[in-house]
Amino acid sequence: MTSIPPEIPTPHFPSHPHPRVWLLTSAACPFAIELALHLLAHGDYVVAGVKPSDISGDDSERGDEFRAFWEEVIREGWRERCKTVGLDERVMGQCQVVVAEALEAFGRVDILFCCTSEAIVGAVEELASSPRCLTLVRDQFETNYFGPVNIIKAVLPSMRRKSSGHIIVLTGITYEIAPFNIKMTIVQSNLEINILTNKITYAPPLPQYSAPENPAPLFRTILTNLLSHLPPSPPPTSTPPPEPPLPPTAATTPTTPEKIKTHHPPLPPHLKTLLIAETTHALLAIGGHENPPARHIVGYDAVASVKEKLKTVSEELEDFVEVSCAVDIAGGEGDVAEGDGGAAAGERDDGELFA
């Protein structure tokens, strides 16, 4: 019988003597919107970094979600505690500006939440099939790695000055901060959550990976089938301001060849809320904690996956432990232990130990 996980509990915040100031790097993404609503209701301050193309470009749905969020901020009277600033993390100057805006408005940044991410779907050969596809890979690194590095570099001086701060990164990339009482947490949720809540770019498929040539299921096919079974999103209740419409290809199957497809998964609001509920609860519970974890795994499936991976690594280590230890340098003369056929490390042939 499949066990049913318990319901997500009520948001829990760590104790703190005063309201915290949060800097969110991608306030138009579902994680940031849900998180910001909880933070503002709790009494915290929020600096919302927004990439203009995320709310005024081709993805009108994401723009509608952010406008609905901002309307709720005004309606609830949170306008004085929430500030929006244009931010493209790939540009170091913009990162410095958004930190300066936060310091001018609220005096400090207590918690930085890096939540900007993009996914690229394609085999290694497909991603190297043309200069444009190679650019996709470089752009992903600029967004997923160098973007967080830029904003972390911009916010660190102010955190060092006050000898406190917490940086949370929603990614699998690892960072290390020097000991200035600045905490660092890597939040790792399920792979599908990160993919389904961010922009997805599909590289043009090569014929060698088509079904007749390759019967093995590809991630591209699995993801496409998953998206095709999602219930349609309800139509908007109000007419949004005029914007460029979605390109016709965004609603079609993303595996159509010859062209690069980019879109956000069309998740219904209720499904999106359920999908990010566990991660949002974890972010609220550890954000600004006195002793937060260096890495936090979110969700039953993610925990099971990490445990299985650790078990596999441990088993492989035991299988090859003799080979691993055989390469240790024995001493200053460059002697190397050679296993059963030679002298043990740190021991002469006559059995006497040497320094």
Side-chain angles (χ1 to χ4, degrees):
M1 178 181 296
T2 304
S3 60
I4 301 176
E7 295 182 0
I8 303 298
T10 304
H12 172 72
F13 298 84
S15 58
H16 50 91
H18 51 72
R20 290 87 48 86
V21 179
W22 288 66
L23 171 55
L24 313 182
T25 62
S26 183
C29 78
F31 279 114
I33 290 177
E34 189 73 14
L35 184 67
L37 291 175
H38 284 292
L39 295 174
L40 292 169
H42 180 63
D44 287 345
Y45 295 80
V46 172
V47 179
V50 183
K51 191 176 180 181
S53 59
D54 285 346
I55 59 175
S56 61
D58 294 335
D59 186 18
S60 60
E61 180 181 353
R62 180 151 291 194
D64 292 342
E65 292 175 353
F66 183 77
R67 280 185 285 272
F69 157 73
W70 191 246
E71 290 175 0
E72 183 168 354
V73 168
I74 297 175
R75 184 170 59 251
E76 295 292 338
W78 299 332
R79 179 66 184 84
E80 298 299 321
R81 291 188 289 110
C82 184
K83 182 178 182 63
T84 60
V85 184
L87 174 62
D88 185 344
E89 290 178 279
R90 299 172 298 180
V91 183
M92 186 63 192
Q94 293 192 23
C95 295
Q96 295 170 333
V97 168
V98 74
V99 172
E101 294 266 5
L103 296 178
E104 181 180 359
F106 304 127
R108 65 185 188 278
V109 174
D110 296 312
I111 305 169
L112 168 66
F113 177 43
C114 300
C115 52
T116 307
S117 181
E118 293 182 1
I120 297 180
V121 179
V124 172
E125 289 178 295
E126 293 169 344
L127 294 174
S129 60
S130 69
R132 175 69 181 106
C133 290
L134 286 173
T135 302
L136 292 178
V137 180
R138 295 189 180 97
D139 288 345
Q140 186 189 37
F141 269 88
E142 288 289 339
T143 299
N144 293 6
Y145 178 75
F146 292 108
V149 167
N150 287 340
I151 191 68
I152 290 174
K153 288 168 60 178
V155 79
L156 274 178
S158 65
M159 288 185 171
R160 278 201 301 265
R161 282 194 296 269
K162 63 188 184 71
S163 298
S164 67
H166 190 187
I167 300 172
I168 305 175
V169 183
L170 189 65
T171 179
I173 300 173
T174 302
Y175 304 83
E176 184 175 352
I177 303 297
F180 297 101
N181 197 32
I182 300 174
K183 310 300 192 300
M184 187 78 190
T185 300
I186 307 298
V187 177
Q188 180 179 337
S189 57
N190 287 329
L191 174 65
E192 59 270 22
I193 294 180
N194 282 335
I195 291 177
L196 293 178
T197 55
N198 290 293
K199 185 173 72 174
I200 302 177
T201 301
Y202 300 84
L206 294 175
Q208 290 85 349
Y209 290 92
S210 61
E213 299 292 334
N214 177 40
L218 300 176
F219 180 73
R220 179 198 302 270
T221 306
I222 296 173
L223 182 60
T224 303
N225 292 337
L226 172 64
L227 295 178
S228 65
H229 286 83
L230 291 175
S233 301
T237 55
S238 60
T239 303
E243 290 182 355
L246 277 171
T249 55
T252 60
T253 303
T255 55
T256 306
E258 287 95 28
K259 291 185 178 181
I260 295 173
K261 310 295 181 183
T262 300
H263 73 149
H264 289 86
L267 298 177
H270 69 281
L271 183 58
K272 190 179 300 182
T273 301
L274 291 175
L275 190 66
I276 66 176
E278 288 180 335
T279 305
T280 302
H281 176 77
L283 293 170
L284 294 172
I286 66 178
H289 197 280
E290 183 178 354
N291 188 26
R295 180 176 292 272
H296 186 78
I297 311 300
V298 180
Y300 291 89
D301 294 338
V303 170
S305 175
V306 171
K307 286 184 176 179
E308 185 64 28
K309 179 63 176 178
L310 292 176
K311 178 182 176 182
T312 302
V313 171
S314 179
E315 292 174 350
E316 290 177 349
L317 177 63
E318 292 298 327
D319 290 341
F320 295 93
V321 65
E322 293 183 1
V323 179
S324 299
C325 295
V327 301
D328 287 344
I329 298 177
E333 300 300 325
D335 299 328
V336 178
E338 297 178 357
D340 296 337
E347 184 177 339
R348 289 200 184 102
D349 291 338
D350 57 6
E352 294 182 2
L353 297 178
F354 64 91

